[in-house]
Structure formats: C-alpha cells, structure tokens
Amino acid sequence: MILVLVDDRVTGPSALCLDELSAIVEEFEELLEFTPTDLLDVFLTAEIASGGAWFSFFGGNYGVQSDPASSRVALARVLEGKPIRASREEMEATIEVGPVLERMQIAALIERGRPSSLLRRQLAERSPMPDRCHRLELELVLTHVARVSSGERLLAPEYAELALALDNVTVRDSVLALAVGPYADDAEQLWILLARNLPDPERANPAALLGYSAYLWGDGPFAGIALAAALDSEPGHRLATLLDGALHSGMRPAEVRGLADVGYERASAVGVVLPPPLAG
C-alpha cells in the first residue's frame, strides 16, 4: 500500500507538522500489522490537481502530478459510463435533499398510503399466493428503473409509491441484485432521485442502495457519503449499518457482492427473474 495524504497546509517539506503526520502514519501501520499488506511509502500533496507537487514523507521521492482527468482510473470510469466527481462537495451535492415543500407533499402521500400498503401485505400473507404482493411491488420498482432510463420525470404520488415499495424488505433486498446487472446505472439514477426527494426516514432505503452500488463499483468515497446519508436519515438502518461497517473495515467490493446474490434469490422466490449479472 502507498498512503496518500492530501492537506492544503502541505506546501513543502518545511511546512510539515511531523508529530501529527507521524501519528497518522503510525496508526495506519498498526492497522496493517496483522494483514499481508505492507506500507511502502507515504506521499503528501496540497491538492489533487494537474501540476501539483508531491513528495514522500520518508524522503527521496518527489515529483509533479499528471492530469487526474486523463488517468487510467478516469478512463476506466468513462468507459464504464460512470461520472467523474471532482470533489467531496460534488459527491454530496449529488444526493443533496430537494425542496422542502415537495418533500412534505411526498411525506403526506406516504402517510396516506401506508395503511393500505400494510393491509395489502397482510392480505397477501393470508392468501393462497402470499408472494403476490411482493412481486407486484418489486415489478413497480423495476418499471420505474426503466422509466428513469428513458428520461421520464417522476411525480409526487410515484415517489410515495416507490418509498412504500422499498419499505418492503423483500423488495429492497431483491433490488440489490440490480447493482451487478446491465441496469446498474439506471437503478443508481433512480436511487439518486429518491434519495434527493424522499423525506426522512424513507430516503434511507434508496441512499443505502446507492451506497451499495457505489461500493460494488469501487467508488468508496461516494459509497461512504451515500451510507452516511442513509444513517443520518434513519440511524440504525440495518443495511446501511452493515455496509458502512464493511466499508470502514476495508472489506473489498468482491466480499460484499454476495448481497447481490441474495437479491437474485429473493426475487426468484417471489416469481421475478432479474437480468443476469454482467461478466466479471
């Protein structure tokens, strides 16, 4: 591992606060002590920018950054159709909550629809086909994923319907599978729309789903922001808590991919066949 520290106070070796930096490096070394990973070097820079100077905390290595926008990582994201967000502020703005009045209108519709939604599920559980309600709500979400990809705008009642559908754990767990399939980008756009426009605590579900999608695609910073939004909306949200703990413990994306497999199983159990995962 190479540790990169970005701090606008770092203008050169003479500007370093050695005690503070040493404490950070020592903490990372302790974290890596019981792993097969070695800390090879620590690079410091004031910012990530073309032409920005960098140098090694251990001495000897230094240089100037190339253009981050033309890096291999940036190229890979472009080829995958993923956006490049230049700053933490830009990431946070992606799921910044929308206008208060619209969210209040959606909240009122959610409360109005909650008793009938609960009754539907209770009746479904007593019927000869107990999974029918789950299937209908899952199909509703999938329909809106397709609508978002075609550029259609959602109305307040539709936001409320989607919030109630994702409140169904079977539905929410099933759509985790979308993160590894051909409609991952479309699903992500729907989660962003819902996270921006749903009230608390309903926005926690789409924010957690967005965090999972970003996590699987290797976008750890954005995943962290989405999961933090979910936990801010609903402290103790089970899915967000699980993913946030995995992210902060350094668990690799491949190690949480099993949740997508669970999604396929849950969808299949209620009679919905989701698109197969993409290769790799």
Side-chain angles (χ1 to χ4, degrees):
M1 171 186 283
I2 295 176
L3 174 62
V4 179
L5 299 177
V6 184
D7 189 330
D8 59 9
R9 298 171 298 175
V10 177
T11 55
S14 61
L16 297 181
C17 178
L18 294 178
D19 289 342
E20 182 180 354
L21 288 171
S22 295
I24 294 173
V25 173
E26 287 175 7
E27 185 170 346
F28 266 86
E29 288 178 328
E30 289 176 5
L31 289 171
L32 297 174
E33 187 175 350
F34 300 104
T35 72
T37 305
D38 295 324
L39 183 62
L40 300 180
D41 209 332
V42 179
F43 295 161
L44 300 108
T45 184
E47 61 176 339
I48 303 297
S50 179
W54 63 269
F55 51 92
S56 169
F57 176 67
F58 298 140
N61 293 321
Y62 62 91
V64 175
Q65 299 173 46
S66 58
D67 185 359
S70 62
S71 69
R72 292 183 181 180
V73 173
L75 176 61
R77 290 191 67 79
V78 170
L79 291 176
E80 292 168 355
K82 296 290 183 179
I84 297 175
R85 302 179 178 96
S87 65
R88 181 178 180 85
E89 289 75 17
E90 190 175 335
M91 294 182 193
E92 291 173 341
T94 302
I95 56 171
E96 184 179 9
V97 294
V100 174
L101 289 178
E102 289 185 16
R103 296 176 76 220
M104 289 177 63
Q105 180 187 6
I106 294 169
L109 291 170
I110 290 171
E111 287 306 311
R112 192 183 306 167
R114 198 177 296 281
S116 61
S117 178
L118 179 61
L119 178 60
R120 271 201 321 274
R121 290 176 199 166
Q122 290 173 339
L123 291 174
E125 288 171 1
R126 298 171 191 164
S127 75
M129 297 183 295
D131 293 327
R132 184 172 181 272
C133 179
H134 301 317
R135 183 174 70 252
L136 292 175
E137 291 188 320
L138 176 55
E139 289 173 345
L140 170 73
V141 176
L142 297 176
T143 298
H144 282 292
V145 169
R147 285 188 60 193
V148 166
S149 69
S150 65
E152 292 187 44
R153 184 175 179 271
L154 298 181
L155 302 176
E158 293 167 329
Y159 277 112
E161 286 180 342
L162 286 164
L164 292 170
L166 290 178
D167 195 45
N168 182 339
V169 176
T170 297
V171 174
R172 190 200 66 198
D173 288 352
S174 296
V175 295
L176 286 168
L178 296 177
V180 299
Y183 302 109
D185 291 343
D186 298 331
E188 194 170 282
Q189 290 307 306
L190 180 60
W191 309 150
I192 289 173
L193 277 175
L194 294 175
R196 287 178 63 89
N197 291 285
L198 291 184
D200 296 327
E202 285 77 17
R203 78 185 295 249
N205 282 321
L209 291 168
L210 179 61
Y212 179 64
S213 180
Y215 195 157
L216 275 189
W217 284 93
D219 193 347
F222 189 46
I225 287 170
L227 295 172
L231 291 171
D232 182 61
S233 175
E234 184 184 337
H237 187 277
R238 292 183 64 182
L239 177 61
T241 300
L242 171 70
L243 293 171
D244 191 60
L247 185 65
H248 282 88
S249 68
M251 191 174 290
R252 295 176 181 272
E255 295 179 84
V256 296
R257 194 187 184 285
L259 290 175
D261 297 332
V262 171
Y264 279 109
E265 292 171 6
R266 298 297 293 272
S268 177
V270 299
V272 176
V273 178
L274 297 176
L278 296 172

